[in-house]
Amino acid sequence: MADNETPRSNDNDYSNEQMNEVLQQMNELFSRYKDESDLDTIHINRLLEVLQAFGRNPSQSDCDKRIHELEDDEKFELTFEDFLQILEESWTLINNDRNILRKAFAKFDLSNEGSIDIEQFRTIMRTLGEPLSDDEIDELVQLGLNDKHKKIDIEYLLDQLLGNEE
């Protein structure tokens, strides 16, 4: 180390403290979903629910596949450490890419006005990909509704779902 350099151990200590705090918060969130037994585990049937609590949004079918893999390995309970490993798996990541969603919605914007007819939107949400329930569709309609034109405003819906783009 040169004479004018300062040791940086404090930076690393702060980083470790910060990481420990994040892990503690994550463990507290995980604990809310623990089984009622004395074990510090969650049952694999709660995997999707817990992933969603952690801000992930995998499809039901992807989650079911992972649960079947766990069942095949005779693993029915997950510890916090098990869950952290699953949390790092790519299938759990939320798809919140604004441009991808914008392009997908734009395919149904027949008038090229940046909006989708409400009934067409309902049909799309019921039939493409993983179908949504009527209640889920109603929530999305309300999020993206442009009262003036009675259509789903694509940019407004994206802002409501993903936050304002700055």
Side-chain angles (χ1 to χ4, degrees), residues 99-119:
N99 291 328
I100 291 172
L101 291 173
R102 183 182 293 119
K103 287 177 186 176
F105 284 134
K107 293 192 182 299
F108 303 100
D109 177 12
L110 303 178
S111 62
N112 290 323
E113 296 175 347
S115 61
I116 303 172
D117 175 76
I118 291 174
E119 288 312 309

Side-chain angles (χ1 to χ4, degrees), residues 105 108 115-145 150-152 157:
F105 284 134
F108 303 100
S115 61
I116 303 172
D117 175 76
I118 291 174
E119 288 312 309
Q120 180 185 16
F121 183 79
R122 287 181 185 285
T123 302
I124 292 164
M125 294 294 115
R126 277 190 201 103
T127 57
L128 295 180
E130 195 167 315
L132 299 179
S133 71
D134 287 340
D135 288 341
E136 292 169 322
I137 294 170
D138 288 343
E139 286 179 37
L140 286 173
V141 166
Q142 290 306 311
L143 280 176
L145 185 63
K150 300 293 183 197
K151 292 185 173 188
I152 303 296
L157 177 60

Side-chain angles (χ1 to χ4, degrees), residues 50-106:
V50 180
L51 286 168
Q52 290 171 337
F54 276 78
R56 302 300 174 94
N57 194 22
S59 69
Q60 181 70 53
S61 63
D62 284 343
C63 194
D64 289 343
K65 286 178 193 173
R66 188 62 173 102
I67 288 171
H68 289 303
E69 291 172 5
L70 291 165
E71 289 171 337
D72 289 345
D73 293 337
E74 297 185 6
K75 182 140 183 100
F76 302 99
E77 299 287 330
L78 299 173
T79 64
F80 179 61
E81 290 76 18
D82 295 331
F83 179 74
L84 288 178
Q85 289 177 349
I86 291 173
L87 198 60
E88 292 299 315
E89 296 173 8
S90 62
W91 66 272
T92 68
L93 297 174
I94 187 169
N95 182 1
N96 62 357
D97 186 308
R98 181 180 293 270
N99 291 328
I100 291 172
L101 291 173
R102 183 182 293 119
K103 287 177 186 176
F105 284 134

Side-chain angles (χ1 to χ4, degrees), residues 33-47:
Y33 296 90
K34 286 182 184 174
D35 295 335
E36 293 183 12
S37 67
D38 290 335
L39 303 174
D40 285 338
T41 61
I42 61 165
H43 193 274
I44 58 174
N45 289 338
R46 298 194 79 186
L47 182 58

